[in-house]
Amino acid sequence: MASLGKVAQKVRSKNAGPFWLTIDIFCSTLEAYEIIASGLSTDAVAEVFKTEPRTLKRFEIPDLNVLKFSLPRPSVQGAVDDRDMHGASWAAKLSEIELR
């Protein structure tokens, strides 16, 4: 199959407050959305970000062709060890995942 970044129209990540990150996966068609929703497991996303699957929140929004994941930040936004204050770099890592 293809990578998430090849099927999705756009993958973006951002802060969802100082303790959470949100990753939005936008699809241009319902067909692309269904491929991604069925081919991208919560467990696979948790593995990419080295976190427990139970800590992720998954939101499927088929009316908008959008799939979202929210996860706890590894460190509080703005902390000394925070390497991405705006949460923008997480999308690139997820875009490379292969769909199943």
Side-chain angles (χ1 to χ4, degrees):
M1 182 129 283
S3 69
L4 173 64
K6 299 278 186 197
V7 179
Q9 180 180 10
K10 181 174 181 95
V11 181
R12 103 179 153 194
S13 58
K14 60 186 177 185
N15 284 327
F19 306 107
W20 287 85
L21 294 162
T22 294
I23 300 165
D24 303 317
I25 303 166
F26 298 96
C27 304
S28 58
T29 65
L30 181 59
E31 179 183 18
Y33 168 80
E34 289 172 346
I35 289 169
I36 292 170
S38 65
L40 182 62
S41 71
T42 302
D43 289 344
V45 174
E47 186 176 320
V48 167
F49 297 122
K50 296 178 178 36
T51 190
E52 292 292 321
R54 63 181 168 70
T55 66
L56 269 76
K57 295 180 182 182
R58 179 183 177 121
F59 304 94
E60 296 183 10
I61 311 166
D63 290 343
L64 299 175
N65 298 333
V66 173
L67 182 65
K68 298 177 70 131
F69 289 94
S70 290
L71 63 146
R73 292 178 65 95
S75 60
V76 176
Q77 180 188 14
V80 172
D81 60 340
D82 182 13
R83 303 202 38 121
D84 181 7
M85 189 139 160
H86 301 288
S89 67
W90 295 73
K93 192 168 188 178
L94 190 61
S95 292
E96 298 170 359
I97 195 170
E98 290 292 319
L99 299 172
R100 298 178 187 175

